[in-house]
Structures are given as structure tokens and as C-alpha cells.
Amino acid sequence: MIHQKVYLDNAATTPMAPEVIEAMLPYMKEEFGNPSSTHYFGRRTKAAIETARKVVAKYINANPSEIIFTSGGTEADNMAINCSIKDLGVTHIITSPIEHHAVLHTVEEASKNNIRVSYVKLTTNGHIDLDNLEQLLQTKDKTLVSLMHANNEIGNLLPMKNVGELCKKYNAYFHSDTVQTMGHYIIDTQKIHIHFLTCGAHKFHGPKGVGFLYKSDKIKINAMMHGGAQERNLRGGTENLYGIVGLAKAMELAYEHLDTHMKHVQGIKSYFIEKLKQNFPGVTFNGDAEGSSLYTVLNASFPPNDKKDMLLFMLDINGVAASGGSACSSGSNKGSHVLTALGVNPERTNIRFSFSRYTTLQDIDYTIQKLTELLGVTAEKSYG
Ligand code: PLP
């Protein structure tokens, strides 16, 4: 029997904050006007969108004109890359093999259309090799650097400011996928040499299907989605009104209480690391978990054991939701491109646990208890 439901998959998505739902409700009920309509109903919802834009812009120290609301992180990543090619004359993209597919697949498509793609080398613990990045930047081609702020599988953090400086030195455009860090870190667009940032509201207790692209006012792009004049002619289509209102509320909650949330979630992660080390001999962590790492993500790697393929499923049956991170070298299961790029031993069991401000120490204790029962470690100190 399941006594508890523990959700440790917050990098996939987070539950919506009750305050966010509250803020959205009026826009599902009485405030229903089309923001493009010039009458009373439309003017009110248009005003709500522009207020949300100001709120979002404020928290990343940007101008409201630099915020383009989208359907989420994927669309924003696509827009940044494709507009760089279409409107900024980019012919060369530098990225890494561990980007999210929203970037990798977009770049792969571009490579079919004569865009040169370079993949920057990684250090042994999965960080971007900055020397190699600098070498790759030494080209006459108009270049876009697309590197994520934090990796969604292993949590490694990019030194965004340093990468921005390198881009400035070599006159390259810089796009950073900040989908995992928006709402979790202070991102100040005035302090970083950056052209594009991306956001998905559902990663920080906002609604799904809404996000934004930050596009620096210093560059000019044209429409990606053709249609109406919404989003300053850059993205046609009636706005996701209540989604946008919810996104702004989620940003506000995240940033007004950032220190408290950070402290809490970092505490959860450190506690989990300690408990795993105490209970599971040979456990390691993929990436730089105890170094420069996103505090919401922990990718644990258990030594080879006979439960390997079943562990995630068994955890689920026992009430713990986490995410697989298998490094499959062959076969029908393609596994994780991130762990494969890191050269992680495919015989080990890799699980990504990810936390939020709603995660409790009791959730972690319960998870450790279930892992112990499933792997049988405490009894025999072996993985059976
Ligand atoms: N980029 C990263 C790093 C992500 O983790 C995700 C979501 O999993 C995305 C992009 C896609 O965002 P969305 O789900 O909002 O389209």
C-alpha cells in the first residue's frame, strides 16, 4: 500500500502555486476580452498583459519591450536560434552536446540548411570547456553561442557572465536557455552580455504552455509566427491571457522570496546527498553536484545492481516520482544524451531527483527508506 506520494521531478514540471491559480481565475471568468479588441473588455485584458510584461521585465532588469510572451521554453529557444539565422545573419552556431532538445534539434535542423555547427568540449564533470569555446569563437563567421544556464539533467551551471564576455570579445551573439534557472536565480540582463534568454513558467510554479523570450533591444528580429500584430508583430496569435497573468505572478512569488526558497531547497539537496552517501556505498553524483550546480537538481548514480531497469518503476509503485537518467549505449532505448556525452557507465542506475520549495525533509526520508528497501542495502550493505 502506498502511504505517501512524493514528487521529486520538479525539473520536469512543478505544481502551480495556489496564489498563481488565484491570480489567473478572474481571467478565466469575467475578464475574457480579446486583448486586441479596442473596447472596454479588450482594453482591460490588454492592460493585464502589459502589467505582466512590466513585472517580468523588472525581475530580470530588462525593458518591457524586450519580453516576448511565447508558449514556453521550447518556442522561445526555437525563436532565438531561428531568428538569429533569419534576421541577424548568423552562419555558425556554437552549442554543446548536453543542451535540451529544444536547442539541439533546432540546431540540427539548421545544419541541414548550411549553418555550420560546432559542439564545445566538456570537462570531465560536464562543464563547458571555456578554452575550447574561445578557440571555436575565433572565426570570421557570424556566430551565435547557445549554451544553457543550467543543465536540466545534471544541474551543472554555466558561468554566464564569463561566456557573455567571451561572446563580446569575439563579437558573437549569445543565447542562454534559462528555462531551469528563471525564478531560481537572479538574472540581471544589464550585467551580462546577453542577447536571448528563455523561460517556461511551469518550472517555477506557474502554468504550463506559457513562457517568454527575452530579446535584447540592441538587436532587431522579425516575426517568427505570422498573423496578427500581437507581441509587437513578432508573434501573431491571440495571447494566452491567463497564462501570462499566471507567469507574472509566479515570477513575483519566486523573486520576492528567493532567498528563503534557495536556502530551503539547497538544504533539501544537501540533506539528500548526505543520506544517500550514508546509506548507499558507492553512490556517486553525475555532473558537479557538490560544486557549481543548480540547487533543485540531483542526479544520483548507483553502482550496478540487479534492480537497474526496474528501480524507477519500483519507486513509482512505492509512491516516489523521479526521473530516469539512463545512459544507454545501444538498443531501442536511446537513453540520456547528456549522460552519454559525459561518458557515464551505462551499467549504473542513474536517477534524477529534483526539488522545489514544497519538498520536505520527510519526503527525502521516505525516499531514502524506499530506496533502501528496494536496493536492500541497509540489511546486507550490498545491491543484491
Ligand atoms: N529547456 C530546458 C533546459 C528545459 O528543461 C525545458 C523543459 O523541460 C525546456 C527547454 C522546454 O521548455 P517548455 O516545456 O516550456 O517548452
Side-chain angles (χ1 to χ4, degrees):
M1 204 176 86
I2 300 173
H3 299 287
Q4 219 165 324
K5 282 265 181 234
V6 172
Y7 184 74
L8 297 183
D9 200 14
N10 290 279
T13 197
T14 55
M16 274 169 70
E19 299 93 325
V20 169
I21 298 172
E22 277 302 307
M24 289 169 71
L25 277 175
Y27 296 91
M28 296 177 185
K29 294 178 177 170
E30 57 270 21
E31 303 285 0
F32 62 87
N34 186 324
S36 296
S37 300
T38 51
H39 50 59
Y40 170 84
F41 294 89
R43 287 198 304 276
R44 284 184 64 86
T45 52
K46 176 79 178 162
I49 289 180
E50 294 317 313
T51 302
R53 199 186 308 282
K54 282 188 198 137
V55 169
V56 167
K58 181 181 83 177
Y59 287 115
I60 59 168
N61 204 5
N63 287 322
S65 58
E66 296 178 306
I67 306 298
I68 304 156
F69 290 118
T70 65
S71 63
T74 301
E75 183 186 330
D77 282 337
N78 273 256
M79 209 167 174
I81 294 166
N82 290 330
C83 286
S84 297
I85 297 166
K86 180 170 73 70
D87 305 319
L88 303 176
V90 161
T91 55
H92 174 220
I93 299 174
I94 301 175
T95 189
S96 87
I98 60 170
E99 298 301 302
H100 190 272
H101 283 143
V103 166
L104 278 184
H105 289 167
T106 308
V107 166
E108 279 162 23
E109 267 315 294
S111 74
K112 295 179 191 161
N113 293 312
N114 287 331
I115 300 298
R116 187 162 72 87
V117 179
S118 306
Y119 294 92
V120 68
K121 282 189 194 143
L122 303 175
T123 63
T124 43
N125 61 0
H127 284 298
I128 298 300
D129 181 334
L130 293 180
D131 292 335
N132 183 234
L133 174 62
E134 182 152 18
Q135 281 161 16
L136 294 172
L137 278 163
Q138 289 165 25
T139 166
K140 287 199 171 62
D141 297 346
K142 193 80 213 145
T143 298
L144 170 74
V145 171
S146 178
L147 292 172
M148 68 207 308
H149 187 199
N151 186 276
N152 52 304
E153 290 194 38
I154 55 171
N156 280 21
L157 281 168
L158 182 78
M160 237 214 284
K161 196 164 166 47
N162 299 355
V163 172
E165 288 312 309
L166 278 177
C167 290
K168 190 173 178 183
K169 181 170 169 191
Y170 292 97
N171 205 17
Y173 295 110
F174 181 25
H175 159 230
S176 190
D177 175 335
T178 42
V179 172
Q180 289 292 341
T181 52
M182 193 64 72
H184 298 287
Y185 286 88
I186 291 187
I187 298 172
D188 184 336
T189 57
Q190 300 302 310
K191 294 198 174 141
I192 310 164
H193 179 79
I194 187 86
H195 299 93
F196 300 104
L197 296 171
T198 56
C199 164
H202 70 113
K203 306 292 188 184
F204 53 99
H205 309 289
K208 294 171 183 53
V210 65
F212 67 85
L213 172 72
Y214 158 85
K215 178 207 67 74
S216 163
D217 268 347
K218 296 191 186 91
I219 53 174
K220 222 182 123 25
I221 60 169
N222 299 318
M224 263 304 293
M225 186 87 84
H226 300 279
Q230 292 92 347
E231 298 303 292
R232 293 188 167 76
N233 285 313
L234 293 175
R235 198 230 183 222
T238 302
E239 298 89 338
N240 178 356
L241 169 65
Y242 33 80
I244 291 169
V245 169
L247 159 60
K249 187 68 192 176
M251 285 282 276
E252 184 191 312
L253 291 170
Y255 283 112
E256 291 303 321
H257 309 282
L258 187 67
D259 288 348
T260 319
H261 297 160
M262 258 191 181
K263 223 170 134 210
H264 173 76
V265 183
Q266 184 64 65
I268 295 277
K269 179 171 170 174
S270 304
Y271 181 75
F272 199 15
I273 289 176
E274 283 318 305
K275 286 281 165 190
L276 285 169
K277 282 182 182 168
Q278 278 168 21
N279 287 278
F280 303 96
V283 73
T284 56
F285 303 102
N286 294 313
D288 189 19
E290 292 174 89
S292 179
S293 180
L294 176 61
Y295 59 91
T296 54
V297 167
L298 180 66
N299 196 310
S301 173
F302 298 93
N305 62 78
D306 63 2
K307 314 280 189 333
K308 179 181 173 335
D309 297 327
M310 294 299 286
L311 189 57
L312 202 61
F313 174 68
M314 294 303 289
L315 277 174
D316 183 22
I317 299 285
N318 281 275
V320 179
S323 157
S326 61
C328 204
S329 50
S330 64
S332 57
N333 178 1
K334 277 171 76 186
S336 150
H337 67 286
V338 175
L339 297 187
T340 304
L342 256 68
V344 165
N345 176 357
E347 294 310 313
R348 292 179 69 93
T349 310
N350 303 293
I351 299 187
R352 178 188 71 181
F353 298 97
S354 47
F355 323 108
S356 83
R357 60 185 189 245
Y358 299 126
T359 310
T360 63
L361 291 178
Q362 288 73 24
D363 290 338
I364 302 304
D365 286 340
Y366 181 81
T367 304
I368 291 287
Q369 182 199 325
K370 288 297 157 193
L371 278 169
T372 310
E373 286 168 19
L374 293 169
L375 291 171
V377 181
T378 310
E380 316 111 63
K381 285 270 178 219
S382 87
Y383 291 86

